[in-house]
């Protein structure tokens, strides 16, 4: 390293533990331009990113039992998820499933640190897997980007920036439209686009809204989402312990960081910092800003190969592993507590999903007086409402308890209701009782049976009189 380069490095601000590197002392933004890196972890991450994007794009097009694999119809408060249909009455399942998923994430974090952030979070998947790649394609590598950004606005800078931002708007709109296809059938979304969302101002508004948010996020806000908005990064410090596998720097092996025989393995080349998308120096220890992308591992391994030293100066290991060289321990109370909580959540979720009925039925008294007098008789009118929650059409049979029929007159105009998936149906039920037979309010039992699943449900409503 010549003296001029070294001088520039001295002047350049270096990441530290007291400041956020992406924000300057005056509060302005210090835009991070991570360098390109290739290596084993990049191949793994790119493959996972590709698969996840495939799932994201493909799910609304995948058909299960003639319905999209995932479709949430907000206006009708219905959802089809992997062949099962749900209504707003099943909404409690969302909280149960989210709780179970949350505890599973706790287990994952206690075991493997921020593996979710680095490999599966949509922010990282789209930022590193899509937007950053196009940016590199149009604006070149780190040095070219920094020079161009600092240079005057000439034609070269103008066209590259213009094309990049047009592309970013297009990509944001594409992601927003795919997101929309989780709420509208994908083919309908194509029709909406073809007709310019005519008559669907709500869908247009939300699509434009999300396009704007995504464009802002991926073109400007970037790593600030992980640093400022996402609560998970802050939570991780309370979830991990000394045996959690994290990305770290082997200080014992690397220090003193310098070139030459007297130094450790770290040659202070700064490469691990240059590739970091959040601009931190992993050699300062585990930091909240680290999103676990493994760029620094691949970058340092490249250097180690060049200087003929073993790989793994920056690697996945536990704090205990870095400090003592001992193997990782999986016997940790916190891990089992999280696992237990996740299993409880999953058991409750499985039980809740399995115990949900294939239809919803309720009975409501007709509006107005609870009864009517017709000559010598008292009349009660109730409405039976059924909703078919099966993913197919089904026939619902309505029966009233036999012993009631002998003593009282019961009229059920529709004894069977054929309902399509998620369709609602209603029938009135009229019950007559003579004044002589009526002593006090008594229950009427109505049984509804689903021919498709064999499920049945008994409902109770009180017969009332004067
Ligand atoms: S420190 Fe390493 S793993 Fe963490 S965000 Fe930076 S490059 Fe990625
Ligand atoms: S890439 Fe490796 S050798 Fe270079 S500064 Fe980082 S830890 Fe040191």
């Amino acid at each position: 390293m010549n003296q001029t380069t070294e001088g520039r490095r001295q002047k350049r601000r270096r990441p530290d533990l007291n400041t956020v590197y992406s924000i300057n002392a005056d509060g302005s933004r210090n835009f991070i331009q991570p360098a390109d890196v290739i290596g084993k972890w990049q191949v793994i991450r790119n493959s996972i990113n590709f698969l996840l994007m495939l799932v994201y794009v493909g799910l609304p097009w995948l058909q299960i039992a003639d319905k999209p694999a995932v479709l949430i119809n907000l206006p009708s408060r219905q959802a089809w998820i992997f062949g099962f249909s749900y209504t707003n009455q099943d909404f409690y399942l969302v909280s149960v499933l989210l709780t179970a998923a949350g505890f599973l994430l706790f287990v994952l974090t206690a075991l493997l640190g921020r593996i979710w952030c680095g490999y599966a979070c949509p922010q990282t998947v789209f930022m590193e897997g899509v937007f950053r790649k196009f940016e590199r394609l149009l604006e070149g590598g780190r040095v070219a980007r920094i020079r161009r950004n600092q240079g005057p606005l000439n034609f070269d800078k103008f066209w590259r920036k213009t094309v990049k931002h047009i592309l970013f708007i297009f990509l944001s709109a594409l992601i927003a439209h795919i997101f929309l296809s989780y709420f509208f059938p994908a083919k309908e979304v194509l029709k909406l686009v073809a007709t310019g969302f005519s008559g669907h101002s709500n869908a247009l508004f939300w699509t434009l809204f999300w396009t704007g948010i995504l464009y802002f996020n991926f073109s400007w806000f970037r790593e600030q989402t992980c640093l400022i908005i996402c609560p998970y990064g802050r939570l991780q410090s309370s979830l991990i312990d000394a045996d959690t596998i994290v990305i770290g720097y082997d200080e014992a092996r690397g220090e003193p960081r310098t070139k030459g025989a007297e130094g450790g393995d770290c040659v202070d080349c700064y490469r691990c910092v240059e590739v970091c998308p959040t601009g931190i120096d992993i050699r300062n220890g585990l930091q909240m800003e680290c999103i676990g992308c493994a760029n620094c591992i691949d970058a340092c391994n490249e250097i180690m190969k060049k200087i003929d030293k073993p790989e793994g100066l920056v690697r996945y290991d536990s704090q205990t592993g870095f400090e003592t060289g001992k193997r990782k321990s999986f016997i940790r109370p916190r891990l089992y507590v999280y696992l237990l909580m996740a299993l409880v959540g999953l058991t409750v979720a499985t039980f809740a999903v399995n115990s949900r009925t294939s239809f919803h039925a309720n009975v409501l008294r007709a509006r107005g007086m609870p009864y009517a007098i017709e000559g010598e008789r008292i009349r009660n009118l109730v409405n039976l409402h059924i909703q078919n929650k099966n993913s197919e059409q089904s026939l619902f049979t309505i029966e009233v308890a036999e012993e009631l029929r002998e003593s009282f007159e019961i009229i059920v105009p529709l004894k069977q209701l054929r309902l399509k998936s998620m369709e609602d149906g209603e029938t009135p039920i009229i019950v007559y009782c003579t004044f002589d037979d009526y002593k006090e309010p008594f229950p009427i039992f109505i049984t509804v049976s689903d021919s498709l699943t064999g499920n049945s449900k008994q409902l109770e409503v009180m017969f009332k009189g004067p």
Side-chain angles (χ1 to χ4, degrees), residues 138-289:
L138 282 160
E139 295 198 80
R142 170 185 157 84
V143 176
R145 293 202 304 273
I146 292 174
R147 281 206 187 122
R148 190 174 295 109
N149 285 351
Q150 288 170 349
L153 180 62
N154 53 21
F155 178 70
D156 175 70
K157 185 171 176 175
F158 177 76
W159 83 256
R160 284 177 198 275
K161 294 275 178 202
T162 307
V163 173
K164 183 182 90 170
H165 284 283
I166 291 172
L167 187 67
F168 276 16
I169 292 171
F170 171 77
L171 289 170
S172 304
L174 189 66
I175 297 171
H177 280 79
I178 296 169
F179 186 59
L180 183 68
S181 62
Y182 282 82
F183 299 91
F184 271 85
K187 286 179 189 162
E188 294 289 318
V189 173
L190 287 185
K191 280 187 204 154
L192 283 181
V193 174
T195 58
F197 283 82
S198 151
H200 288 88
S201 50
N202 260 348
L204 178 65
F205 170 79
W206 286 111
T207 310
L208 289 177
F209 175 80
W210 282 113
T211 301
I213 294 282
L214 291 169
Y215 172 63
F216 169 74
N217 178 48
F218 291 120
S219 68
W220 192 80
F221 207 52
R222 300 191 162 187
E223 76 288 339
Q224 298 299 307
T225 301
C226 309
L227 307 189
I228 297 172
I229 295 180
C230 179
Y232 178 57
R234 285 156 204 280
L235 204 64
Q236 69 153 344
S237 51
S238 58
L239 297 176
I240 62 172
D241 57 23
D243 289 307
T244 301
I245 306 295
V246 291
I247 293 172
Y249 163 70
D250 192 337
E251 209 174 311
R253 193 185 133 187
E255 301 295 311
R257 56 183 83 160
T258 178
K259 273 185 180 172
E262 73 284 2
D265 282 358
C266 176
V267 291
D268 204 19
C269 64
Y270 215 60
R271 180 84 178 122
C272 54
V273 182
E274 286 176 349
V275 297
C276 179
T278 60
I280 58 171
D281 187 340
I282 193 66
R283 296 172 300 168
N284 291 336
L286 184 62
Q287 293 149 75
M288 193 206 77
E289 292 95 327

Side-chain angles (χ1 to χ4, degrees), residues 311-329:
E311 292 185 358
L313 177 58
V314 178
R315 63 175 186 272
Y316 279 109
D317 205 340
S318 64
Q319 292 292 323
T320 311
F322 281 116
E323 282 161 20
T324 64
K326 280 188 189 159
R327 288 170 67 85
K328 299 106 195 159
S329 164

